[in-house]
Amino acid sequence: MIMDGAKTPSTAANLVLLGPPGAGKGTQARMLEDAFGLVQLSTGDLLRAAVTAGTEAGLQAKAVMEAGDLVSDEIVIAILRDRLAEPDCANGVILDGFPRTTVQAEALDGLMADLGAGIRAAISLEVDDAAMVTRISGRFTCAGCGEGYHDTFKAPAVEGVCDKCGGTEMTRRADDNAETVESRLRAYHAQTAPLIDYYDARGVLARVDAMAEIDAVAQELNKIVRQAVV
Ligand code: AMP
């Protein structure tokens, strides 16, 4: 028998990573995934997969993403809701690039409530805008396993060969160019930065200086996440 309204509380440790494009959300999320057995959910990755697959959502999102604007809340929330329902998310997820608007944050609270779970920590990766264009224009990804690299800050040990999987096909994102970065930063400040206060008011916000070296930022995040997952 299903008990109306009685939800078993979830033990899932769900986390949000906030920060402008280039702050290192993807890099850090992948490291946390490995360290804590959580699943990284990047709405950017989900949308790029939808564009490649040519789905209805992908067709609608493509031009918006190329311009560096935000895809509609309706599309993004639907994509995230479907992905969160998959069994591998039951242990907890690291949300990378979602929520990006107050509407999305409120929708996320609703999705979490439906799962009997909540957001344990929202971590804001704090960086200077001026450094973001350099960070973004130098980055590339292994097409095989998705590991992220950077021409200056994180080059593979052997040029052109992925440290993780040995793959040799590297890709650069179409929206990782100087003009689009400006729009993406504008969208971040106008629509996403207010979420720092949103999570602060809920008592789950942590701030990290993400101008530091990748490993130093990872250590800070590890401390915060270790406390949040217990
Ligand atoms: P990202 O990979 O997180 O940098 O996202 C790449 C692009 O996908 C963004 O510039 C937006 O156009 C779109 N996007 C990703 N996540 C969201 C989101 N939560 N809300 C709206 N648009 C998004």
Side-chain angles (χ1 to χ4, degrees):
M1 187 177 68
I2 296 173
M3 304 283 285
D4 198 26
K7 283 184 203 93
T8 313
S10 161
T11 54
N14 297 300
L15 311 169
V16 167
L17 286 188
L18 294 169
K25 299 185 297 295
T27 304
Q28 296 295 338
R30 283 176 75 90
M31 292 165 93
L32 290 172
E33 203 177 27
D34 291 346
F36 292 94
L38 303 170
V39 170
Q40 175 194 14
L41 287 195
S42 150
T43 40
D45 285 348
L46 294 171
L47 286 166
R48 280 184 285 279
V51 170
T52 305
T55 65
E56 185 57 39
L59 291 174
Q60 289 184 42
K62 189 170 186 286
V64 181
M65 292 172 75
E66 279 168 1
D69 295 328
L70 292 188
V71 174
S72 77
D73 289 330
E74 199 187 351
I75 290 179
V76 181
I77 291 165
I79 284 189
L80 185 86
R81 181 187 296 123
D82 290 351
R83 181 66 186 88
L84 263 183
E86 289 177 31
D88 63 333
C89 295
N91 235 356
V93 296
I94 308 160
L95 293 166
D96 152 14
F98 185 98
R100 262 178 156 98
T101 64
T102 306
V103 170
Q104 293 178 18
E106 287 167 354
L108 179 62
D109 287 343
L111 292 173
M112 286 288 143
D114 289 347
L115 294 168
I119 298 300
R120 297 266 187 96
I123 306 167
S124 169
L125 301 185
E126 316 236 308
V127 288
D128 300 338
D129 272 13
M132 293 306 102
V133 177
T134 321
R135 278 209 192 176
I136 289 179
S137 36
R139 66 188 189 180
F140 57 97
T141 304
C142 169
C145 71
E147 184 68 1
Y149 292 100
H150 193 280
D151 293 326
T152 313
F153 308 119
K154 191 186 165 201
V158 178
E159 197 186 328
V161 182
C162 176
D163 295 341
K164 276 228 159 153
C165 75
T168 53
E169 196 193 331
M170 301 289 178
T171 58
R172 288 184 193 254
R173 280 169 47 173
D175 61 346
D176 276 352
N177 58 70
E179 305 82 69
T180 311
V181 170
E182 298 290 339
S183 328
R184 289 161 67 198
L185 283 172
R186 265 198 305 277
Y188 173 78
H189 288 295
Q191 289 163 279
T192 311
L195 298 182
I196 295 174
D197 286 345
Y198 181 94
Y199 287 110
D200 199 12
R202 281 159 181 73
V204 292
L205 182 77
R207 296 173 189 267
V208 169
D209 171 15
M211 292 304 290
E213 302 260 317
I214 293 174
D215 286 342
V217 177
Q219 275 183 23
E220 267 309 293
L221 281 171
N222 261 275
K223 275 192 231 155
I224 294 165
V225 175
R226 216 174 299 126
Q227 285 179 353
V229 300
V230 289

